[in-house]
C-alpha cells in the first residue's frame, strides 16, 4: 500500500467520548485481516493519547494521524 491515506475500513466515532472511540476501533480491528488499515474519525481530544498508547501496546501501527478543526483522524494498520 503506497498511499498513506488508503484504508480498508472506516469507523466514524464522532461525538463519542473516551473510551468509546477506542473500544469501537478494537471491535472493528477484530473483523479485519492482518495488514488491513482502519481509518478512525473521532472528535474526542483524549483519543490522541488513547490511540497512540493502544497501537504501541497492541502491536498495531499508527500509520498516520491528523487533526483539523477538532476532528481527529487515525489510520491504524492491524498487526
Amino acid at each position: 500500500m503506497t498511499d498513506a491515506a488508503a484504508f480498508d475500513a472506516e469507523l466514524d466515532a464522532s461525538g463519542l467520548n473516551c473510551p468509546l472511540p477506542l473500544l469501537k476501533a478494537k471491535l472493528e480491528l477484530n473483523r479485519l485481516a492482518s495488514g488491513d488499515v482502519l481509518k478512525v474519525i473521532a472528535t474526542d481530544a483524549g483519543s490522541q493519547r488513547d490511540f497512540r498508547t493502544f497501537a504501541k501496546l497492541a502491536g498495531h501501527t499508527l500509520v498516520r494521524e491528523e487533526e483539523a478543526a477538532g476532528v481527529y483522524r487515525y489510520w491504524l494498520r492491524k498487526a
Side-chain angles (χ1 to χ4, degrees), residues 13-24 42-47 50-51:
S14 300
L16 298 177
N17 292 323
C18 247
L20 285 174
L22 190 58
L23 290 174
K24 288 187 172 284
T43 51
D44 179 11
S47 65
D50 290 349
F51 277 94

Side-chain angles (χ1 to χ4, degrees), residues 42-78:
T43 51
D44 179 11
S47 65
Q48 281 189 302
R49 180 192 63 241
D50 290 349
F51 277 94
R52 288 173 188 157
T53 303
F54 168 65
K56 268 194 204 105
L57 293 176
H60 304 306
T61 305
L62 187 55
V63 180
R64 180 174 173 173
E65 61 178 295
E66 297 175 354
E67 186 272 325
V71 177
Y72 302 86
R73 292 178 186 84
Y74 307 96
W75 285 260
L76 279 166
R77 176 171 287 120
K78 184 173 177 175

